[in-house]
Amino acid sequence: MSELSNRQMIVRTVFQIVTVKVLLKICFAKDVIPANFVFGDSLVDAGNNNYIASLSKANFVPNGIDFGGPTGRFTNGRTIVDIIGQELGLPGFTPPYLAPTASGPVVLQGINYASGGGGILNHTGNIFGGRINFDAQLDNFENTRQDIISTIGVSATLELLQSSLFSVTMGSNDFINNYFTPIVSAEEQKLVPPQVFVASMIARFKLQLTRLYTLGARKIIVVNVGPVGCIPYERDLNPTAGTSCASRPNQLAQLFNTELRNLIKELTTSLKGSIFMYADVYRIVDDMIQNYRAYGFDSGSFACCYIAGSFGGLIPCGPSSKVCLDRSKYVFWDPFHPSDAANVIIAKRLLDGDSNDVFPINIRQLANV
């Protein structure tokens, strides 16, 4: 037998041993959730955009200042899904799909497909160039699913996926970087009424969530759109609102959320064995912003990482930005994204909150179903 053949056999044997160890760990672990599969936009991107040609990136300072350095996460520390994974006892952070490390036995514990600038609609985020919208993220998951089947077989794969946690954080960019994009979308806003735009989002989302179910997902958390009119970027774009949030973006977000809640109920009823959860992040974040001092923050409207604007929202966070000294005192890290401190509050309310925060059950209860 040649030296090359011996080496291939050794590699194959080592891979099989590692895979068996991972499977045994999954089977006998106290954690009910064996794997975490993440879909979404920059709110939960763990670094996929590092590997594509895109204007939507966060792999530079001061991002990650409280994480040990920039990783491609659009915040100073952890994302909501990072924190939820830690709370559920999942090993490490779920790796981004495009990272070289997201291969082999590690995929059995979940993958993060999220992409900054991504949306429900495929033309969302065009201004960034490269981004991975939800349809493409589902394509990537289908590739992962096939890799898992090749490793452990169809039956074990279906069992793994049915026990795993799936989360979808999508929709904000469809408003911020599509319908409300300054100048670019002015004509669309005239021609397409808000109700029609929202209806198109819901119709597409229904197909996408159904496809996720068809691919094997059963425990699916769907996060609604937050109060986008309250982010520093929208506040600075709408100075006539004064110190209040911009009303129109929030109105559309609420219109979408109402339809989304109905869709979640419909899917749970029609798709046998599914548990779709509606995570009301709009309610949680709005409460934080309106009562920021009660949560221990000094600011509920200004970006910690800023360059220009009354709320620090006019220019994205970058190496030339100023950074607040105590990030834990700000709801917003940059013009668009929550801080690690805010993400902790959101994550814990999704984990342990009542039906006002997450419906019909919370994530910790879902983990035990």
Side-chain angles (χ1 to χ4, degrees), residues 137-278:
Q137 291 181 32
L138 289 170
D139 291 341
N140 291 338
F141 170 64
E142 193 161 4
N143 293 335
T144 299
R145 180 179 181 272
Q146 191 55 50
D147 289 342
I148 296 174
I149 289 173
S150 299
T151 304
I152 64 176
V154 174
S155 180
T157 297
L158 293 178
E159 186 176 342
L160 172 69
L161 297 180
Q162 287 171 8
S163 301
S164 298
L165 190 68
F166 289 78
S167 62
V168 181
T169 306
M170 281 284 189
S172 296
N173 281 314
D174 294 285
F175 293 112
I176 300 170
N177 294 306
N178 185 337
Y179 196 71
F180 285 126
T181 306
I183 303 173
V184 177
S185 67
E187 196 61 32
E188 182 180 13
Q189 289 184 47
K190 292 178 183 177
L191 297 173
V192 182
Q195 293 83 356
V196 173
F197 183 78
V198 167
S200 69
M201 287 177 64
I202 291 294
R204 190 75 210 161
F205 213 16
K206 180 179 180 179
L207 295 174
Q208 293 164 334
L209 293 173
T210 301
R211 181 184 175 195
L212 185 58
Y213 168 87
T214 303
L215 290 171
R218 292 297 180 269
K219 299 179 178 182
I220 306 169
I221 305 157
V222 183
V223 179
N224 71 2
V225 173
V228 290
C230 297
I231 64 175
Y233 169 76
E234 288 292 344
R235 286 180 186 262
D236 273 330
L237 282 187
N238 297 274
T240 55
T243 57
S244 301
C245 300
S247 59
R248 192 156 182 261
N250 279 355
Q251 288 168 1
L252 260 70
Q254 289 173 315
L255 176 62
F256 172 80
N257 291 342
T258 298
E259 295 301 319
L260 177 62
R261 189 181 179 98
N262 293 333
L263 174 61
I264 296 306
K265 291 178 181 177
E266 177 191 334
L267 292 175
T268 299
T269 302
S270 62
L271 300 178
K272 184 180 178 181
S274 68
I275 304 175
F276 281 88
M277 286 173 42
Y278 176 80

Side-chain angles (χ1 to χ4, degrees), residues 36-42 44-52 57 59 67 70-74 79 81-82 91-104 106-116 132 137 140-141 144 147:
N36 185 28
F37 294 94
V38 179
F39 302 84
D41 52 31
S42 58
V44 290
D45 187 350
N48 280 307
N49 279 22
N50 298 352
Y51 303 95
I52 61 176
K57 288 181 181 284
N59 57 341
F67 197 86
T71 60
R73 289 170 170 81
F74 290 75
T79 67
V81 293
D82 288 333
F93 295 113
T94 304
Y97 174 76
L98 293 177
T101 54
S103 61
V106 71
V107 303
L108 299 175
Q109 296 172 331
I111 295 293
N112 186 320
Y113 303 91
S115 170
I132 310 168
Q137 291 181 32
N140 291 338
F141 170 64
T144 299
D147 289 342

